[in-house]
């Protein structure tokens, strides 16, 4: 399986930190007011983090979809 290569370490660290921050925020909001719709962004962020941390070849597509559709 091909691996993604992040040439800019600062981008990798900031992206990972930002997604972890959003995951914490969404988890907090879900804990305050549980809703099935609150699980959608949490699930997507977890999948995106797994793709990033495993350096999957699909991480670029995942980031583009996440940034364009969910923003």
């Amino acid at each position: 399986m091909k691996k993604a290569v992040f040439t800019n370490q600062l981008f990798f660290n900031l992206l990972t930190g930002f997604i972890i921050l959003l995951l914490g925020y969404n988890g907090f909001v879900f804990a305050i007011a549980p809703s099935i719709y609150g699980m959608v962004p949490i699930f997507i962020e977890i999948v995106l983090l797994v793709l990033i941390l495993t350096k999957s070849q699909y991480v670029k597509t995942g980031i583009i979809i996440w940034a364009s559709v969910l923003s």
Side-chain angles (χ1 to χ4, degrees), residues 6-15 55:
F6 287 93
T7 56
N8 190 340
Q9 193 64 30
L10 179 64
F11 173 75
F12 177 78
N13 290 337
L14 287 176
L15 180 66
K55 295 187 171 146

Side-chain angles (χ1 to χ4, degrees), residues 11-29:
F11 173 75
F12 177 78
N13 290 337
L14 287 176
L15 180 66
T16 306
F18 181 67
I19 294 174
I20 290 172
L21 183 71
L22 283 176
L23 184 62
Y25 173 74
N26 287 332
F28 175 74
V29 169

Side-chain angles (χ1 to χ4, degrees), residues 18-70:
F18 181 67
I19 294 174
I20 290 172
L21 183 71
L22 283 176
L23 184 62
Y25 173 74
N26 287 332
F28 175 74
V29 169
F30 180 74
I32 300 273
S35 168
I36 192 70
Y37 298 114
M39 289 298 293
V40 173
I42 293 172
F43 175 74
I44 292 171
E45 289 162 1
I46 289 172
V47 169
L48 194 57
L49 267 177
V50 168
L51 287 174
I52 290 171
L53 295 177
T54 59
K55 295 187 171 146
S56 170
Q57 65 182 3
Y58 302 111
V59 71
K60 182 178 179 181
T61 306
I63 291 171
I64 290 171
I65 291 171
W66 174 70
S68 61
V69 173
L70 299 175

